[in-house]
Amino acid sequence: ARLKSGLSKTRQILTTDIDELFLGKKLVDDEMLEDLEERLITSDMGVQTTLAIMEKISARRSRIAGAAALKTALKEEILAYFEALPEPVPEAAARPHVVMVVGVNGVGKTTTIGKLAAHEARKGKKVLIAAADTFRAAAIEQIAIWAERAGADIVRHKDNADPAAVAYDGIDAAISRGTDIVFVDTAGRLHTKVNLMEEIKKIQRTVAKRLPGGPHEVLLVLDATTGQNALSQAKMFNEALGVTGLALTKLDGTARGGIVVSICSSLNIPLKYIGVGESVDDLQEFDAQQFVEALF
Ligand code: GDP
């Protein structure tokens, strides 16, 4: 239900009056295809992805009778993109499993870590957050509040400490305390792009030094309302760090939820979580089937 209401703006773009397109007609005609193409582009599925989907719909048009069949066909074609994605990385066999969380400031990184920590703690996992975004005192305070609420441990240094040192101490503490899962927060200031990537790479190396094989996951948080900008951020982080999973936030705030399809089809990185609101339960594990059902 949260997913459905979260995606309502996007669903509106995609489906409003779609039944009327078929009034007095049985099969899909050119006018409908044009109308659909516009809807997909308006929802931010990206031009390339849209054209590819439309080509497939066009090829099967003689077998599409009525609006319901058309929606089903669209769901199937979109689902195919998600099914082609690689499997998410499995949880590490040994403890702790380390997730390094990256993303540009403002995308919802802090809240996403907080929500994930809460989810894991609820499942009975022992959770630790390493507050390695030492550049933003406010972010550390925010994350400390989330950690306390979730009953998670937090490792923090004073402002402007060396982020890699915080990450190292976090892993160290997690190993000695028998922690199940560690979330390493990282900085996201974009005005010093090169330094930022170097800083995060250093965190990555430092984690690996203390815990060979770690970090097991590099989770990139993207803000769906930034549309194609999110796509270019993803490319930048992926080139520098090798992103293994995506979290896409604020889908509830946008009519452009098609960006999910656009990002998945162009990046080939598994989408793990989507955010459809500000409360803990609004961060959901991505389920492709449920997602397409909510879109149409
Ligand atoms: P950070 O700078 O990346 O750490 O971003 P924050 O975690 O501080 O989030 C920025 C704002 O986005 C906050 O007001 C969050 O409540 C909000 N936010 C995060 N995720 C979502 C979401 O899925 N939906 C909505 N509507 N707001 C979100």
Side-chain angles (χ1 to χ4, degrees), residues 103-113 115 133 136 139 142 146 185 221 223 248-253 274-279 282-283:
V104 167
N105 285 347
V107 293
K109 190 155 44 75
T110 307
T111 15
T112 299
I113 293 174
K115 290 170 181 175
D133 179 2
R136 292 193 301 169
Q142 257 335 96
W146 276 104
D185 189 19
V221 184
D223 175 344
L248 206 50
T249 63
K250 307 187 199 179
L251 275 164
D252 53 308
I274 54 173
V276 292
E278 294 190 84
S279 82
D282 292 328
L283 185 76

Side-chain angles (χ1 to χ4, degrees), residues 51-74:
L51 292 180
I53 292 171
M54 292 315 300
E55 208 168 292
K56 295 200 183 107
I57 295 291
S58 178
R60 53 194 284 199
R61 67 206 273 185
S62 63
R63 281 163 287 140
I64 298 174
L70 180 59
K71 284 187 207 171
T72 304
L74 281 164

